[in-house]
Amino acid sequence: MIEFIFEVLLQLVFEIVEAVFSSGVKRSRQTRLPLWLSAIVYTGLGVFAGFVSVWMFPQAFLHGSIARIANLLLTPVLMGFLAGAFAAWRGGDQQGIFLNRFACAYLFALSLAIVRFFVTQHA
């Protein structure tokens, strides 16, 4: 169970870093990117973050196959929900902010988890 918490915390740290940088970029420009372009950018950032996390932690936190697959399926949904809920809370009554932020955070966390799933060393 502690290994699952480490996987979630690792992705949460990368989500926070991404949110800090993206909020700074959004302040510098007033126009929003189209969702398809945001999806490509967040997926690329997630892959990059995945490789950085593998470089920092080459061993998988979870060693069982079922636990690793569960992490691959559940953690991105959890990260997407948390990011969407935070964006909706912070954004007030902006139309579609939860869904937009959920989608971007989900793709970021999923691509990070896929890289960790296939690249990390496990027993």
Side-chain angles (χ1 to χ4, degrees), residues 84-107:
F86 183 71
W89 172 71
R90 191 177 68 171
D93 57 345
Q94 290 181 353
Q95 184 72 15
I97 190 79
F98 175 83
L99 187 58
N100 188 0
R101 191 68 187 139
F102 175 87
C104 291
Y106 174 79
L107 289 172

Side-chain angles (χ1 to χ4, degrees), residues 26-78:
K26 286 179 185 172
R27 285 192 188 123
S28 67
R29 61 177 169 75
Q30 295 299 320
T31 60
R32 285 177 45 175
L33 293 174
L35 187 57
W36 65 269
L37 184 57
S38 293
I40 293 170
V41 169
Y42 280 92
T43 301
L45 288 173
V47 169
F48 177 74
F51 281 112
V52 169
S53 73
V54 169
W55 176 68
M56 292 170 51
F57 304 104
Q59 295 291 328
F61 294 124
L62 301 170
H63 297 290
S65 296
I66 293 175
R68 289 170 52 91
I69 292 171
N71 177 62
L72 187 63
L73 297 174
L74 297 177
T75 304
V77 173
L78 177 64

Side-chain angles (χ1 to χ4, degrees), residues 3-12 15 62 67-83 102 105-110 112-114:
E3 294 90 0
F4 180 73
I5 293 171
F6 281 137
E7 280 287 335
V8 170
L9 286 177
L10 178 67
Q11 290 192 19
L12 185 61
E15 284 284 337
L62 301 170
R68 289 170 52 91
I69 292 171
N71 177 62
L72 187 63
L73 297 174
L74 297 177
T75 304
V77 173
L78 177 64
M79 292 298 111
F81 180 76
L82 289 174
F102 175 87
Y106 174 79
L107 289 172
F108 178 86
L110 181 64
L112 188 151
I114 288 172

